[in-house]
mmCIF file of all heavy atoms in Angstrom:
data_model
loop_
_atom_site.group_PDB
_atom_site.id
_atom_site.type_symbol
_atom_site.label_atom_id
_atom_site.label_comp_id
_atom_site.label_asym_id
_atom_site.label_seq_id
_atom_site.Cartn_x
_atom_site.Cartn_y
_atom_site.Cartn_z
ATOM 1 N N ASN A 250 0.912 17.040 -0.989
ATOM 2 C CA ASN A 250 2.173 16.515 -1.325
ATOM 3 C C ASN A 250 2.063 15.128 -1.855
ATOM 4 O O ASN A 250 1.289 14.347 -1.395
ATOM 5 C CB ASN A 250 3.124 16.478 -0.075
ATOM 6 C CG ASN A 250 4.554 16.049 -0.419
ATOM 7 O OD1 ASN A 250 4.817 14.919 -0.622
ATOM 8 N ND2 ASN A 250 5.414 17.049 -0.600
ATOM 9 N N PRO A 251 2.780 14.801 -2.997
ATOM 10 C CA PRO A 251 2.616 13.507 -3.601
ATOM 11 C C PRO A 251 2.796 12.249 -2.573
ATOM 12 O O PRO A 251 2.143 11.228 -2.809
ATOM 13 C CB PRO A 251 3.663 13.464 -4.711
ATOM 14 C CG PRO A 251 3.874 14.883 -5.013
ATOM 15 C CD PRO A 251 3.676 15.701 -3.747
ATOM 16 N N SER A 252 3.615 12.513 -1.640
ATOM 17 C CA SER A 252 3.833 11.416 -0.677
ATOM 18 C C SER A 252 2.527 11.083 0.124
ATOM 19 O O SER A 252 2.232 9.871 0.471
ATOM 20 C CB SER A 252 4.967 11.637 0.278
ATOM 21 O OG SER A 252 4.739 12.794 1.084
ATOM 22 N N LEU A 253 1.848 12.150 0.498
ATOM 23 C CA LEU A 253 0.574 11.959 1.235
ATOM 24 C C LEU A 253 -0.557 11.430 0.339
ATOM 25 O O LEU A 253 -1.348 10.653 0.795
ATOM 26 C CB LEU A 253 0.193 13.341 1.875
ATOM 27 C CG LEU A 253 1.125 13.905 2.843
ATOM 28 C CD1 LEU A 253 0.628 15.240 3.467
ATOM 29 C CD2 LEU A 253 1.519 12.890 3.933
ATOM 30 N N ALA A 254 -0.552 11.915 -0.884
ATOM 31 C CA ALA A 254 -1.543 11.400 -1.821
ATOM 32 C C ALA A 254 -1.324 9.937 -1.971
ATOM 33 O O ALA A 254 -2.267 9.115 -2.069
ATOM 34 C CB ALA A 254 -1.414 12.086 -3.206
ATOM 35 N N THR A 255 -0.050 9.490 -2.106
ATOM 36 C CA THR A 255 0.263 8.041 -2.221
ATOM 37 C C THR A 255 -0.313 7.281 -1.044
ATOM 38 O O THR A 255 -0.865 6.188 -1.171
ATOM 39 C CB THR A 255 1.808 7.883 -2.328
ATOM 40 O OG1 THR A 255 2.218 8.533 -3.564
ATOM 41 C CG2 THR A 255 2.198 6.453 -2.340
ATOM 42 N N LEU A 256 -0.104 7.813 0.166
ATOM 43 C CA LEU A 256 -0.601 7.153 1.349
ATOM 44 C C LEU A 256 -2.102 7.024 1.287
ATOM 45 O O LEU A 256 -2.711 6.038 1.778
ATOM 46 C CB LEU A 256 -0.156 7.864 2.587
ATOM 47 C CG LEU A 256 1.249 7.633 3.068
ATOM 48 C CD1 LEU A 256 1.621 8.606 4.123
ATOM 49 C CD2 LEU A 256 1.373 6.213 3.581
ATOM 50 N N GLY A 257 -2.775 8.051 0.753
ATOM 51 C CA GLY A 257 -4.229 8.025 0.605
ATOM 52 C C GLY A 257 -4.702 6.821 -0.229
ATOM 53 O O GLY A 257 -5.727 6.170 0.062
ATOM 54 N N VAL A 258 -3.920 6.475 -1.330
ATOM 55 C CA VAL A 258 -4.212 5.329 -2.138
ATOM 56 C C VAL A 258 -3.914 4.037 -1.384
ATOM 57 O O VAL A 258 -4.615 3.107 -1.386
ATOM 58 C CB VAL A 258 -3.456 5.374 -3.469
ATOM 59 C CG1 VAL A 258 -3.707 4.151 -4.285
ATOM 60 C CG2 VAL A 258 -3.882 6.590 -4.203
ATOM 61 N N ASP A 259 -2.721 4.046 -0.680
ATOM 62 C CA ASP A 259 -2.276 2.845 0.004
ATOM 63 C C ASP A 259 -3.245 2.384 1.089
ATOM 64 O O ASP A 259 -3.440 1.179 1.202
ATOM 65 C CB ASP A 259 -0.885 3.032 0.619
ATOM 66 C CG ASP A 259 0.162 3.151 -0.389
ATOM 67 O OD1 ASP A 259 -0.056 2.730 -1.596
ATOM 68 O OD2 ASP A 259 1.361 3.491 -0.066
ATOM 69 N N LEU A 260 -3.871 3.370 1.774
ATOM 70 C CA LEU A 260 -4.854 2.981 2.864
ATOM 71 C C LEU A 260 -6.041 2.241 2.265
ATOM 72 O O LEU A 260 -6.508 1.304 2.845
ATOM 73 C CB LEU A 260 -5.256 4.240 3.630
ATOM 74 C CG LEU A 260 -4.197 4.869 4.500
ATOM 75 C CD1 LEU A 260 -4.601 6.203 5.017
ATOM 76 C CD2 LEU A 260 -3.754 3.913 5.667
ATOM 77 N N GLN A 261 -6.509 2.670 1.165
ATOM 78 C CA GLN A 261 -7.661 2.032 0.535
ATOM 79 C C GLN A 261 -7.292 0.631 0.067
ATOM 80 O O GLN A 261 -8.049 -0.361 0.279
ATOM 81 C CB GLN A 261 -8.061 2.840 -0.738
ATOM 82 C CG GLN A 261 -8.492 4.237 -0.553
ATOM 83 C CD GLN A 261 -8.729 4.926 -1.810
ATOM 84 O OE1 GLN A 261 -9.693 4.716 -2.559
ATOM 85 N NE2 GLN A 261 -7.881 5.878 -2.193
ATOM 86 N N ILE A 262 -6.037 0.436 -0.505
ATOM 87 C CA ILE A 262 -5.620 -0.819 -0.950
ATOM 88 C C ILE A 262 -5.486 -1.781 0.236
ATOM 89 O O ILE A 262 -5.878 -3.025 0.190
ATOM 90 C CB ILE A 262 -4.314 -0.743 -1.762
ATOM 91 C CG1 ILE A 262 -4.565 0.036 -3.072
ATOM 92 C CG2 ILE A 262 -3.726 -2.104 -1.991
ATOM 93 C CD1 ILE A 262 -3.313 0.265 -3.867
ATOM 94 N N ALA A 263 -4.853 -1.331 1.330
ATOM 95 C CA ALA A 263 -4.591 -2.176 2.507
ATOM 96 C C ALA A 263 -5.844 -2.798 3.039
ATOM 97 O O ALA A 263 -5.897 -3.963 3.414
ATOM 98 C CB ALA A 263 -3.893 -1.442 3.602
ATOM 99 N N GLN A 264 -6.910 -2.030 3.022
ATOM 100 C CA GLN A 264 -8.215 -2.560 3.504
ATOM 101 C C GLN A 264 -8.675 -3.673 2.590
ATOM 102 O O GLN A 264 -9.169 -4.696 3.093
ATOM 103 C CB GLN A 264 -9.274 -1.425 3.528
ATOM 104 C CG GLN A 264 -10.640 -1.824 3.863
ATOM 105 C CD GLN A 264 -10.900 -2.367 5.304
ATOM 106 O OE1 GLN A 264 -10.072 -1.911 6.172
ATOM 107 N NE2 GLN A 264 -11.811 -3.231 5.515
ATOM 108 N N ASP A 265 -8.566 -3.575 1.337
ATOM 109 C CA ASP A 265 -9.140 -4.477 0.375
ATOM 110 C C ASP A 265 -8.315 -5.773 0.205
ATOM 111 O O ASP A 265 -8.772 -6.719 -0.495
ATOM 112 C CB ASP A 265 -9.308 -3.792 -0.981
ATOM 113 C CG ASP A 265 -10.426 -2.771 -1.022
ATOM 114 O OD1 ASP A 265 -11.126 -2.672 -0.013
ATOM 115 O OD2 ASP A 265 -10.565 -2.075 -2.063
ATOM 116 N N VAL A 266 -7.111 -5.853 0.720
ATOM 117 C CA VAL A 266 -6.299 -7.053 0.646
ATOM 118 C C VAL A 266 -6.897 -8.183 1.469
ATOM 119 O O VAL A 266 -6.458 -9.349 1.275
ATOM 120 C CB VAL A 266 -4.849 -6.712 1.011
ATOM 121 C CG1 VAL A 266 -4.034 -8.041 1.199
ATOM 122 C CG2 VAL A 266 -4.184 -5.841 0.000
ATOM 123 N N ALA A 267 -7.850 -7.939 2.246
ATOM 124 C CA ALA A 267 -8.528 -8.953 3.128
ATOM 125 C C ALA A 267 -8.835 -10.182 2.314
ATOM 126 O O ALA A 267 -9.403 -10.156 1.157
ATOM 127 C CB ALA A 267 -9.808 -8.440 3.727
ATOM 128 N N GLY A 268 -8.391 -11.402 2.783
ATOM 129 C CA GLY A 268 -8.659 -12.623 2.044
ATOM 130 C C GLY A 268 -7.423 -13.229 1.407
ATOM 131 O O GLY A 268 -7.511 -14.341 0.947
ATOM 132 N N ALA A 269 -6.411 -12.346 1.134
ATOM 133 C CA ALA A 269 -5.202 -12.864 0.516
ATOM 134 C C ALA A 269 -4.411 -13.715 1.519
ATOM 135 O O ALA A 269 -4.440 -13.528 2.719
ATOM 136 C CB ALA A 269 -4.342 -11.669 -0.002
ATOM 137 N N ASP A 270 -3.494 -14.550 0.975
ATOM 138 C CA ASP A 270 -2.578 -15.369 1.752
ATOM 139 C C ASP A 270 -1.253 -14.644 1.910
ATOM 140 O O ASP A 270 -0.481 -14.932 2.788
ATOM 141 C CB ASP A 270 -2.394 -16.745 1.043
ATOM 142 C CG ASP A 270 -3.738 -17.503 1.023
ATOM 143 O OD1 ASP A 270 -4.217 -17.866 2.158
ATOM 144 O OD2 ASP A 270 -4.203 -17.772 -0.059
ATOM 145 N N LEU A 271 -0.963 -13.744 0.938
ATOM 146 C CA LEU A 271 0.286 -13.091 1.016
ATOM 147 C C LEU A 271 0.178 -11.791 0.152
ATOM 148 O O LEU A 271 -0.668 -11.728 -0.822
ATOM 149 C CB LEU A 271 1.402 -13.975 0.350
ATOM 150 C CG LEU A 271 2.788 -13.495 0.248
ATOM 151 C CD1 LEU A 271 3.773 -14.649 0.427
ATOM 152 C CD2 LEU A 271 3.132 -12.832 -1.082
ATOM 153 N N VAL A 272 0.872 -10.727 0.515
ATOM 154 C CA VAL A 272 0.822 -9.475 -0.199
ATOM 155 C C VAL A 272 2.255 -9.114 -0.632
ATOM 156 O O VAL A 272 3.205 -9.342 0.075
ATOM 157 C CB VAL A 272 0.192 -8.366 0.594
ATOM 158 C CG1 VAL A 272 0.998 -8.074 1.857
ATOM 159 C CG2 VAL A 272 -0.022 -7.137 -0.208
ATOM 160 N N HIS A 273 2.323 -8.640 -1.915
ATOM 161 C CA HIS A 273 3.644 -8.383 -2.476
ATOM 162 C C HIS A 273 3.623 -6.934 -3.103
ATOM 163 O O HIS A 273 2.837 -6.743 -3.997
ATOM 164 C CB HIS A 273 3.936 -9.426 -3.614
ATOM 165 C CG HIS A 273 5.283 -9.350 -4.258
ATOM 166 N ND1 HIS A 273 5.740 -10.260 -5.171
ATOM 167 C CD2 HIS A 273 6.330 -8.496 -4.075
ATOM 168 C CE1 HIS A 273 6.899 -9.967 -5.509
ATOM 169 N NE2 HIS A 273 7.327 -8.885 -4.920
ATOM 170 N N SER A 274 4.450 -6.067 -2.624
ATOM 171 C CA SER A 274 4.468 -4.682 -2.987
ATOM 172 C C SER A 274 5.750 -4.337 -3.814
ATOM 173 O O SER A 274 6.836 -4.931 -3.579
ATOM 174 C CB SER A 274 4.285 -3.717 -1.837
ATOM 175 O OG SER A 274 5.446 -3.697 -1.029
ATOM 176 N N HIS A 275 5.580 -3.403 -4.751
ATOM 177 C CA HIS A 275 6.661 -3.015 -5.581
ATOM 178 C C HIS A 275 6.842 -1.427 -5.614
ATOM 179 O O HIS A 275 5.874 -0.701 -5.907
ATOM 180 C CB HIS A 275 6.397 -3.399 -7.066
ATOM 181 C CG HIS A 275 6.373 -4.865 -7.228
ATOM 182 N ND1 HIS A 275 7.386 -5.590 -7.775
ATOM 183 C CD2 HIS A 275 5.418 -5.794 -6.916
ATOM 184 C CE1 HIS A 275 7.117 -6.884 -7.879
ATOM 185 N NE2 HIS A 275 5.957 -7.039 -7.284
ATOM 186 N N THR A 276 7.954 -0.988 -5.180
ATOM 187 C CA THR A 276 8.440 0.384 -5.054
ATOM 188 C C THR A 276 7.714 1.009 -3.785
ATOM 189 O O THR A 276 6.751 0.599 -3.279
ATOM 190 C CB THR A 276 8.127 1.270 -6.284
ATOM 191 O OG1 THR A 276 6.752 1.640 -6.373
ATOM 192 C CG2 THR A 276 8.528 0.622 -7.530
ATOM 193 N N TRP A 277 8.350 2.184 -3.379
ATOM 194 C CA TRP A 277 7.842 2.784 -2.138
ATOM 195 C C TRP A 277 6.418 3.266 -2.243
ATOM 196 O O TRP A 277 5.717 3.248 -1.243
ATOM 197 C CB TRP A 277 8.769 4.009 -1.798
ATOM 198 C CG TRP A 277 8.472 5.289 -2.558
ATOM 199 C CD1 TRP A 277 9.086 5.678 -3.716
ATOM 200 C CD2 TRP A 277 7.480 6.177 -2.247
ATOM 201 N NE1 TRP A 277 8.529 6.891 -4.126
ATOM 202 C CE2 TRP A 277 7.588 7.254 -3.275
ATOM 203 C CE3 TRP A 277 6.555 6.411 -1.290
ATOM 204 C CZ2 TRP A 277 6.797 8.379 -3.280
ATOM 205 C CZ3 TRP A 277 5.704 7.510 -1.258
ATOM 206 C CH2 TRP A 277 5.876 8.487 -2.273
ATOM 207 N N TYR A 278 5.937 3.575 -3.525
ATOM 208 C CA TYR A 278 4.568 3.935 -3.656
ATOM 209 C C TYR A 278 3.611 2.892 -3.137
ATOM 210 O O TYR A 278 2.492 3.258 -2.631
ATOM 211 C CB TYR A 278 4.241 4.223 -5.151
ATOM 212 C CG TYR A 278 4.998 5.379 -5.789
ATOM 213 C CD1 TYR A 278 6.143 5.156 -6.486
ATOM 214 C CD2 TYR A 278 4.520 6.637 -5.602
ATOM 215 C CE1 TYR A 278 6.827 6.217 -7.048
ATOM 216 C CE2 TYR A 278 5.162 7.724 -6.215
ATOM 217 C CZ TYR A 278 6.350 7.544 -6.932
ATOM 218 O OH TYR A 278 6.950 8.588 -7.477
ATOM 219 N N ALA A 279 3.960 1.646 -3.259
ATOM 220 C CA ALA A 279 3.066 0.572 -2.828
ATOM 221 C C ALA A 279 3.495 -0.065 -1.483
ATOM 222 O O ALA A 279 2.688 -0.847 -0.902
ATOM 223 C CB ALA A 279 3.028 -0.548 -3.918
ATOM 224 N N ASN A 280 4.642 0.335 -0.920
ATOM 225 C CA ASN A 280 5.196 -0.384 0.230
ATOM 226 C C ASN A 280 4.306 -0.179 1.410
ATOM 227 O O ASN A 280 4.136 -1.115 2.294
ATOM 228 C CB ASN A 280 6.590 0.118 0.532
ATOM 229 C CG ASN A 280 7.672 -0.375 -0.382
ATOM 230 O OD1 ASN A 280 8.771 0.122 -0.430
ATOM 231 N ND2 ASN A 280 7.352 -1.458 -1.116
ATOM 232 N N ALA A 281 3.726 1.059 1.656
ATOM 233 C CA ALA A 281 2.916 1.250 2.829
ATOM 234 C C ALA A 281 1.642 0.415 2.703
ATOM 235 O O ALA A 281 1.188 -0.111 3.772
ATOM 236 C CB ALA A 281 2.566 2.769 2.920
ATOM 237 N N ALA A 282 1.074 0.257 1.553
ATOM 238 C CA ALA A 282 -0.081 -0.540 1.389
ATOM 239 C C ALA A 282 0.257 -2.027 1.766
ATOM 240 O O ALA A 282 -0.515 -2.743 2.569
ATOM 241 C CB ALA A 282 -0.653 -0.584 -0.058
ATOM 242 N N GLY A 283 1.351 -2.491 1.296
ATOM 243 C CA GLY A 283 1.762 -3.892 1.593
ATOM 244 C C GLY A 283 2.050 -4.043 3.120
ATOM 245 O O GLY A 283 1.590 -5.069 3.685
ATOM 246 N N HIS A 284 2.807 -3.118 3.716
ATOM 247 C CA HIS A 284 3.123 -3.230 5.109
ATOM 248 C C HIS A 284 1.892 -3.179 6.051
ATOM 249 O O HIS A 284 1.709 -4.091 6.884
ATOM 250 C CB HIS A 284 4.007 -2.098 5.481
ATOM 251 C CG HIS A 284 4.503 -2.045 6.881
ATOM 252 N ND1 HIS A 284 5.376 -2.987 7.430
ATOM 253 C CD2 HIS A 284 4.194 -1.205 7.979
ATOM 254 C CE1 HIS A 284 5.542 -2.726 8.689
ATOM 255 N NE2 HIS A 284 4.853 -1.666 9.046
ATOM 256 N N LEU A 285 1.006 -2.222 5.742
ATOM 257 C CA LEU A 285 -0.263 -2.129 6.525
ATOM 258 C C LEU A 285 -1.125 -3.365 6.277
ATOM 259 O O LEU A 285 -1.785 -3.805 7.238
ATOM 260 C CB LEU A 285 -0.934 -0.814 6.245
ATOM 261 C CG LEU A 285 -0.242 0.441 6.636
ATOM 262 C CD1 LEU A 285 -0.908 1.713 6.060
ATOM 263 C CD2 LEU A 285 -0.097 0.505 8.177
ATOM 264 N N ALA A 286 -1.259 -3.780 5.097
ATOM 265 C CA ALA A 286 -2.075 -4.986 4.836
ATOM 266 C C ALA A 286 -1.466 -6.216 5.568
ATOM 267 O O ALA A 286 -2.296 -7.001 6.107
ATOM 268 C CB ALA A 286 -2.067 -5.313 3.267
ATOM 269 N N GLY A 287 -0.171 -6.296 5.598
ATOM 270 C CA GLY A 287 0.389 -7.458 6.364
ATOM 271 C C GLY A 287 -0.008 -7.404 7.812
ATOM 272 O O GLY A 287 -0.284 -8.427 8.468
#
């Protein structure tokens, strides 16, 4: 399902945000990545 595929991308992104001072996500497609990275 596209929602689960989106989460699969978001998990990869959340890991790689390491080192940022702030994370900013746009639309629900990216919201999980931003929330988890935070």
Side-chain angles (χ1 to χ4, degrees):
N250 183 279
S252 65
L253 299 182
T255 296
L256 281 170
V258 177
D259 284 349
L260 290 172
Q261 300 172 71
I262 293 175
Q264 174 68 28
D265 287 355
V266 170
D270 298 295
L271 181 146
V272 62
H273 185 174
S274 69
H275 294 256
T276 77
W277 79 265
Y278 291 99
N280 286 164
H284 180 69
L285 293 171

